[in-house]
Amino acid sequence: MASAGLNVAELMKQTNNHGADIILETGGQDTLGHSINAAAVNGQIVVIGVAPGSNSPIPNYTMFILKNVAIKGIANGSRAMFVDYINALATNDRKALIAKTFDFDQAPQAYQYFAQAKHIVKVLIKF
């Protein structure tokens, strides 16, 4: 798993030109091209949220096609929506269902656990 903040050339060097199988893209349109370049063949880019940008919505179009990259969006709600969710849980005497919670320094293990896709409910990382 990689972050778009990592230098693409360094990532390719560290992976023997394989690239990243899963990339969490948080930079939006202006960094999507870096993520496509850093992706492995048949890699997956998960776009988290929407960040405005000045570049084409799909930069490096040819590389995107050649690598057969899948791009999936994840919509984040607002803070107000999260507060509404917490209040609804409290009002209805409900608790959020959590599969497992990891400490912040265990983030790599949390991502590995999440990638196994054996959980049904939330996986948390404590800050």
Side-chain angles (χ1 to χ4, degrees), residues 11 24 34 39 41 44 46 60 62 65 87 99 110 112-113 120 127:
L11 181 135
L24 303 177
H34 298 293
V41 172
Q44 183 177 19
V46 181
N60 303 336
T62 302
I65 297 299
N87 289 337
Q112 289 171 355
Y113 178 83
I120 295 175
F127 288 93

Side-chain angles (χ1 to χ4, degrees), residues 25-28 46-51 72-76:
E25 171 60 66
T26 59
V46 181
V47 179
I48 302 174
V50 178
K72 177 180 181 170
I74 296 177
N76 292 338

Side-chain angles (χ1 to χ4, degrees), residues 9-57:
E10 181 62 25
L11 181 135
M12 297 307 280
K13 179 181 169 186
Q14 289 182 20
T15 62
N16 293 323
N17 287 322
H18 174 79
D21 294 319
I22 300 172
I23 297 175
L24 303 177
E25 171 60 66
T26 59
Q29 294 180 37
D30 290 341
T31 59
L32 183 57
H34 298 293
S35 293
I36 292 171
N37 288 339
V41 172
N42 296 318
Q44 183 177 19
I45 298 172
V46 181
V47 179
I48 302 174
V50 178
S54 57
N55 292 320
S56 168

Side-chain angles (χ1 to χ4, degrees), residues 2-126:
S3 166
L6 182 63
N7 179 289
V8 174
E10 181 62 25
L11 181 135
M12 297 307 280
K13 179 181 169 186
Q14 289 182 20
T15 62
N16 293 323
N17 287 322
H18 174 79
D21 294 319
I22 300 172
I23 297 175
L24 303 177
E25 171 60 66
T26 59
Q29 294 180 37
D30 290 341
T31 59
L32 183 57
H34 298 293
S35 293
I36 292 171
N37 288 339
V41 172
N42 296 318
Q44 183 177 19
I45 298 172
V46 181
V47 179
I48 302 174
V50 178
S54 57
N55 292 320
S56 168
I58 303 180
N60 303 336
Y61 186 77
T62 302
M63 191 61 67
F64 168 71
I65 297 299
L66 290 174
K67 288 188 174 185
N68 195 36
V69 173
I71 299 177
K72 177 180 181 170
I74 296 177
N76 292 338
S78 67
R79 184 179 192 287
M81 291 168 74
F82 182 66
V83 169
D84 289 346
Y85 169 69
I86 298 296
N87 289 337
L89 290 175
T91 299
N92 294 291
D93 196 29
R94 302 282 188 224
K95 293 183 181 182
L97 299 176
I98 301 168
K100 193 164 184 176
T101 302
F102 294 85
D103 289 328
F104 184 74
D105 61 347
Q106 296 175 308
Q109 293 88 345
Y111 288 119
Q112 289 171 355
Y113 178 83
F114 187 79
Q116 292 173 4
K118 294 180 181 176
H119 63 285
I120 295 175
V121 293
K122 300 193 177 297
V123 176
L124 303 180
I125 300 174
K126 291 191 290 185

